[in-house]
Amino acid sequence: MIKIMFQHAKKHPGLIPQFFFLTLGITGATLYLIRLARGPHVTLWDKQRNPEPWNKLDPTYQYKFVAINTDYKSLKKEGPDF
Protein backbone atom coordinates (compact mmCIF):
# COMPACT_ATOMS: atom_id res chain seq x y z
CA MET A 1 0.00 0.00 0.00
CA ILE A 2 2.83 2.38 0.81
CA LYS A 3 4.49 1.46 -2.50
CA ILE A 4 1.29 2.45 -4.32
CA MET A 5 1.22 5.76 -2.42
CA PHE A 6 4.78 6.53 -3.53
CA GLN A 7 3.94 5.64 -7.13
CA HIS A 8 0.94 7.98 -7.09
CA ALA A 9 3.02 10.72 -5.45
CA LYS A 10 5.62 10.46 -8.23
CA LYS A 11 2.95 10.72 -10.92
CA HIS A 12 0.94 13.44 -9.18
CA PRO A 13 3.11 15.68 -6.93
CA GLY A 14 0.01 17.54 -5.74
CA LEU A 15 -0.93 14.48 -3.70
CA ILE A 16 2.16 14.75 -1.46
CA PRO A 17 0.57 17.25 1.00
CA GLN A 18 -2.57 15.13 1.11
CA PHE A 19 -0.58 12.01 1.97
CA PHE A 20 1.38 13.98 4.58
CA PHE A 21 -1.72 15.28 6.36
CA LEU A 22 -3.46 11.92 6.06
CA THR A 23 -0.50 10.23 7.75
CA LEU A 24 -0.36 12.99 10.37
CA GLY A 25 -4.07 12.56 11.13
CA ILE A 26 -3.88 8.79 11.41
CA THR A 27 -0.84 9.05 13.69
CA GLY A 28 -2.54 11.64 15.89
CA ALA A 29 -5.73 9.60 16.15
CA THR A 30 -3.74 6.48 17.05
CA LEU A 31 -1.78 8.29 19.75
CA TYR A 32 -5.00 9.78 21.14
CA LEU A 33 -6.63 6.35 21.30
CA ILE A 34 -3.58 4.98 23.11
CA ARG A 35 -3.84 7.88 25.56
CA LEU A 36 -7.54 7.13 26.11
CA ALA A 37 -6.83 3.43 26.56
CA ARG A 38 -4.29 4.19 29.28
CA GLY A 39 -6.98 6.17 31.09
CA PRO A 40 -6.66 8.61 33.98
CA HIS A 41 -4.19 8.07 36.78
CA VAL A 42 -6.93 6.58 38.98
CA THR A 43 -7.56 3.65 36.66
CA LEU A 44 -4.81 1.04 36.49
CA TRP A 45 -4.61 -2.08 34.39
CA ASP A 46 -2.34 -3.80 36.90
CA LYS A 47 -4.67 -6.48 38.24
CA GLN A 48 -1.91 -8.38 40.07
CA ARG A 49 -0.60 -5.71 42.45
CA ASN A 50 -3.65 -3.42 42.60
CA PRO A 51 -6.88 -5.32 41.86
CA GLU A 52 -9.18 -2.65 43.40
CA PRO A 53 -7.60 0.79 42.84
CA TRP A 54 -10.76 2.65 43.90
CA ASN A 55 -10.24 1.55 47.51
CA LYS A 56 -7.00 3.56 47.76
CA LEU A 57 -8.65 6.90 47.01
CA ASP A 58 -8.81 9.56 49.70
CA PRO A 59 -12.42 10.31 50.81
CA THR A 60 -11.90 13.97 49.91
CA TYR A 61 -10.55 13.21 46.43
CA GLN A 62 -12.88 14.76 43.87
CA TYR A 63 -12.96 12.37 40.93
CA LYS A 64 -16.28 13.57 39.56
CA PHE A 65 -16.71 16.81 37.66
CA VAL A 66 -19.77 17.74 39.70
CA ALA A 67 -21.09 16.07 42.84
CA ILE A 68 -24.48 17.38 43.92
CA ASN A 69 -24.23 16.64 47.67
CA THR A 70 -20.60 17.69 48.24
CA ASP A 71 -19.67 20.90 50.04
CA TYR A 72 -16.53 21.96 48.18
CA LYS A 73 -15.69 24.71 50.68
CA SER A 74 -15.01 22.18 53.45
CA LEU A 75 -12.66 20.01 51.37
CA LYS A 76 -8.95 20.43 51.95
CA LYS A 77 -7.14 21.96 49.05
CA GLU A 78 -3.82 20.72 47.79
CA GLY A 79 -1.49 23.16 46.13
CA PRO A 80 -0.80 26.87 46.48
CA ASP A 81 -3.32 29.21 48.08
CA PHE A 82 -4.62 32.02 45.90
Side-chain angles (χ1 to χ4, degrees):
M1 180 163 166
I2 294 175
K3 184 178 178 181
I4 295 172
M5 286 177 56
F6 283 128
Q7 289 174 353
H8 283 294
K10 286 180 184 177
K11 290 179 185 176
H12 308 285
L15 293 176
I16 294 173
Q18 185 177 3
F19 289 145
F20 172 74
F21 287 111
L22 181 71
T23 305
L24 185 69
I26 290 172
T27 304
T30 303
L31 291 175
Y32 182 68
L33 287 176
I34 290 170
R35 178 179 169 259
L36 285 177
R38 292 184 57 169
H41 67 280
V42 175
T43 306
L44 299 174
W45 286 3
D46 188 9
K47 301 292 184 187
Q48 301 298 325
R49 290 183 283 163
N50 195 7
E52 296 177 343
W54 54 88
N55 289 335
K56 294 185 177 181
L57 291 178
D58 186 31
T60 61
Y61 179 74
Q62 180 187 350
Y63 57 92
K64 293 183 180 180
F65 184 66
V66 174
I68 304 299
N69 298 329
T70 302
D71 183 21
Y72 293 106
K73 293 179 182 177
S74 64
L75 294 178
K76 72 174 186 176
K77 293 182 181 180
E78 295 179 6
D81 293 328
F82 293 107

